[in-house]
Amino acid sequence: MDMLKLSDNLVMLRHKKKKTQEEIADFIGVTKASVSKWENGQSMPDIMILPQLAAFFDVTIDELMGYEPQLSCEQINKLHENLKISFAEKGFDYTMNECRNLVKEYYSCYRFLFTICCLYINHYNMTNDENVQKNILAEASELAGHILDNCKDIRVYNDTLAVKAIIDLMAGKPADVVNNLEDVINNSYMYLSNGTVLIQAYQMLGDIKKANKTSQMGLYVSVFSAISIAMLYLVSNAGNKEVCDETIGRTKTLIDLYKINELNPNMAAQFYLQAAVVKCTHGDYDAALAMLEQYAYDIYRLMVVDKLTIHGDEYFDLFEEWYSDYNMGLGAPRNETLVWDSVIEVFDNPVFEPIKEHKNFKAIKNKITGYKRLC
């Protein structure tokens, strides 16, 4: 926020209204010289005068001062992208200060603050200082709490509730996650029921497009939710080979059925990586290498073909329209350079120690390094 925009705005508004400095001075009860100094930026009007000035030009005080407390989705997108680039190119400390300044400037723009929370949790581990990491997570948690206490946009509120839970989990506060989410999850049938009722209402009104868009949204989200939960189920049952094999088999079927490798290769890549970890843990090294091969393919789709974007297909033909409405300024969670770093670091996971000298393992790693050069 640049308070000196007041001077430019005074000149602009005076010309637009075709008024003279004398007329403004007479209305406010000051000298022409005072108005001239305001327009030249040599001084600022007394705070008690601002309502009179705003009334004279028929604008709000915010408009008079040039203050924009709310950002458009396009502005949020632009800031989000710039900050991701800044983390990669200007460094962690510089960009964190930039984020904090923006938070102060747009403290009532909750959609933007949600974006900042996501940036914090996707970049907090760029520093190796554990105390700094803890402080950033605490800062993100406090910011999420501010959104939850004040935001009236139910979509922003619900997404922030989910992010707040992730932050608490990262901060080692699982009890807080349970307290905040247990009732919501246990009563999730209410959300499912509301979704189906909304679809039926659209159908009764003859608005088939909205009925179809809402249906597609429900299917899309449900499929990805199922895959995410399957990955967590693998972790919980890591010691049970039979359960893991069955879970991997069923989830692969779901991925193939809904063409997740094409729709959202990031989700598919995460699953196959987790599957590779589980297979390696069980000593099934050939299967682990096969999972890593699929992981490499999905990374190619994600980074080279789709350029870190997700999209619909001939079945989810209303996806782009829905996602455009839903998107709150969030593209890829991190800058491409940082994503590539995390992708390659995967191969340093100690769980892959038994196969790290295998020719196929080295070939897969080299293949992904080659993909990076293509971008």
Side-chain angles (χ1 to χ4, degrees):
M1 178 177 63
D2 181 4
M3 297 300 289
L4 294 182
K5 285 183 180 177
L6 172 67
S7 58
D8 294 333
N9 287 345
L10 280 175
V11 174
M12 181 272 293
L13 289 168
R14 181 167 62 80
H15 289 165
K16 183 178 179 180
K17 294 285 187 178
K18 298 180 181 179
K19 300 294 184 180
T20 65
Q21 290 180 343
E22 289 91 341
E23 288 175 300
I24 297 175
D26 289 342
F27 181 84
I28 301 298
V30 297
T31 65
K32 176 189 172 186
S34 295
V35 176
S36 178
K37 287 180 180 180
W38 297 342
E39 291 188 354
N40 292 327
Q42 295 176 351
S43 67
M44 295 282 287
D46 186 274
I47 191 171
M48 301 302 293
I49 292 176
L50 293 179
Q52 290 178 276
L53 275 172
F56 182 79
F57 291 115
D58 193 22
V59 295
T60 66
I61 294 177
D62 283 348
E63 290 170 331
L64 180 69
M65 301 297 292
Y67 175 50
E68 298 176 2
Q70 299 297 319
L71 294 165
S72 67
C73 287
E74 288 184 358
Q75 289 172 316
I76 292 174
N77 275 325
K78 185 176 181 180
L79 282 172
H80 181 250
E81 290 302 315
N82 289 343
L83 289 170
K84 284 194 305 182
I85 294 171
S86 182
F87 270 116
E89 297 181 354
K90 296 183 179 180
F92 178 78
D93 292 334
Y94 175 91
T95 310
M96 281 301 301
N97 286 332
E98 191 174 358
C99 287
R100 290 174 179 131
N101 289 334
L102 287 167
V103 166
K104 292 177 181 178
E105 186 169 350
Y106 298 108
Y107 199 57
S108 64
C109 184
Y110 303 116
R111 189 181 295 264
F112 174 68
L113 296 185
F114 169 79
T115 304
I116 291 293
C117 286
C118 293
L119 282 168
Y120 280 5
I121 64 176
N122 282 303
H123 295 87
Y124 83 104
N125 58 357
M126 284 182 66
T127 174
N128 294 321
D129 189 322
E130 291 186 2
N131 287 328
V132 174
Q133 290 182 0
K134 290 179 181 178
N135 289 336
I136 293 170
L137 289 177
E139 192 175 330
S141 180
E142 183 179 352
L143 192 58
H146 168 67
I147 299 171
L148 294 174
D149 287 341
N150 297 281
C151 182
K152 294 180 175 60
D153 185 323
I154 189 63
R155 189 166 61 187
V156 177
Y157 180 93
N158 286 337
D159 285 344
T160 302
L161 187 65
V163 166
K164 176 72 162 56
I166 293 172
I167 294 168
D168 288 339
L169 204 60
M170 288 177 167
K173 299 177 180 178
D176 288 351
V177 177
V178 172
N179 289 335
N180 292 328
L181 290 186
E182 192 169 40
D183 287 342
V184 174
I185 298 302
N186 287 341
N187 290 291
S188 61
Y189 71 89
M190 290 296 296
Y191 294 102
L192 295 174
S193 176
N194 288 340
T196 57
V197 170
L198 179 61
I199 293 168
Q200 292 177 72
Y202 283 141
Q203 291 172 338
M204 291 176 67
L205 291 171
D207 196 337
I208 302 305
K209 182 175 181 180
K210 282 188 177 181
N212 288 343
K213 187 164 72 169
T214 306
S215 299
Q216 285 191 21
M217 176 188 71
L219 280 170
Y220 194 93
V221 172
S222 296
V223 169
F224 288 112
S225 178
I227 296 171
S228 297
I229 293 171
M231 287 190 280
L232 295 174
Y233 195 55
L234 286 175
V235 174
S236 298
N237 294 275
N240 190 326
K241 185 177 185 301
E242 183 178 346
V243 170
C244 287
D245 289 346
E246 183 69 15
T247 301
I248 290 171
R250 292 190 181 209
T251 309
K252 283 177 61 181
T253 299
L254 184 63
I255 288 174
D256 293 340
L257 182 64
Y258 279 92
K259 301 180 181 179
I260 305 303
N261 304 91
E262 299 174 12
L263 288 171
N264 190 332
N266 180 50
M267 177 62 73
Q270 290 181 45
F271 167 75
Y272 282 110
L273 176 60
Q274 185 62 51
V277 168
V278 169
K279 291 292 187 182
C280 209
T281 301
H282 294 159
D284 194 347
Y285 301 134
D286 288 340
L289 288 167
M291 297 295 108
L292 285 175
E293 185 69 47
Q294 184 62 51
Y295 170 77
Y297 168 78
D298 292 327
I299 290 299
Y300 173 78
R301 289 281 318 203
L302 173 69
M303 304 297 292
V304 180
V305 178
D306 291 340
K307 301 295 183 182
L308 284 170
T309 61
I310 58 176
H311 51 80
D313 60 6
E314 66 280 359
Y315 181 74
F316 289 102
D317 58 329
L318 297 173
F319 174 83
E320 275 75 17
E321 183 177 335
W322 165 70
Y323 190 67
S324 176
D325 293 339
Y326 179 80
N327 185 22
M328 295 194 299
L330 294 180
R334 289 179 290 173
N335 175 263
E336 183 178 329
T337 301
L338 298 179
V339 174
W340 273 118
D341 290 343
S342 63
V343 165
I344 295 173
E345 285 174 4
V346 159
F347 293 89
D348 296 328
N349 190 326
V351 76
F352 296 133
E353 186 69 23
I355 59 174
K356 72 174 186 178
E357 297 302 325
H358 195 288
K359 64 178 183 179
N360 290 353
F361 184 85
K362 292 181 177 180
I364 294 169
K365 183 176 181 180
N366 289 336
K367 185 184 295 185
I368 287 184
T369 303
Y371 293 156
K372 181 180 179 181
R373 288 194 290 267
L374 294 175
C375 295

